[in-house]
Structures are given as C-alpha cells and as structure tokens.
C-alpha cells in the first residue's frame, strides 16, 4: 500500500475514533464526513493507479482547505 493511501486511511480512522468519543453531535457528524472523504480519496488513489513512490501531501491539501503546507 502506498504512503498516501495509508495516510488517508489513518486520518479517516482517527476522525471516526474521535467522532465516536464526542458528545457534540454536529462535530461528530463533521468528523465522520471528513472520514468518508479521506476514504474516498484513498479509493481514488487506488483507482488512478498511483505508484508506491511517496509524494508530499500537506494536511491542507488532504482537508481541501488550501495549498499552504501544514
């Protein structure tokens, strides 16, 4: 499994874990939506046939919040 895909799946897992521990329903819902997006991106990486060569993905790019490195 390539590094980008593993990172996306790890982020999704963390989002779901935190969401399950939250009492705030709206925040938990947003985290689950983020987890779904991370998993979808991991699937697209697989579908696009991305090589196993690691690339640099900033946190902002994963979250779709901009192009600055984070």
């Amino acid at each position: 499994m390539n590094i980008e895909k593993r990172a996306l799946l790890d982020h999704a897992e963390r989002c779901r874990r935190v969401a399950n521990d939250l009492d705030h329903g709206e925040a938990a819902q947003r985290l689950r939506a983020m987890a779904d997006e991370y998993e979808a991106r991991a699937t697209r990486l697989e579908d696009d046939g991305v090589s196993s060569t690691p690339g640099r993905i900033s946190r902002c790019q994963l979250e779709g919040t901009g192009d600055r490195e984070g």
Side-chain angles (χ1 to χ4, degrees):
M1 180 178 306
N2 73 41
I3 292 172
E4 288 96 345
K5 182 177 178 182
R6 181 75 260 160
L8 288 165
L9 294 175
D10 287 346
H11 283 304
E13 182 181 339
R14 284 186 204 103
C15 286
R16 290 190 195 288
R17 190 176 336 123
V18 171
N20 291 336
D21 291 339
L22 287 179
D23 292 330
H24 191 276
E26 187 177 327
Q29 184 177 12
R30 284 192 306 249
L31 281 168
R32 287 186 185 102
M34 287 173 60
D36 290 343
E37 179 60 26
Y38 285 135
E39 289 172 346
R41 289 179 184 198
T43 300
R44 286 193 299 270
L45 280 177
E46 191 173 87
D47 292 344
D48 292 341
V50 174
S51 72
S52 61
T53 305
R56 181 166 177 91
I57 298 178
S58 75
R59 184 175 183 183
C60 293
Q61 288 171 321
L62 290 175
E63 295 175 359
T65 58
D67 59 355
R68 66 179 162 85
E69 292 183 4

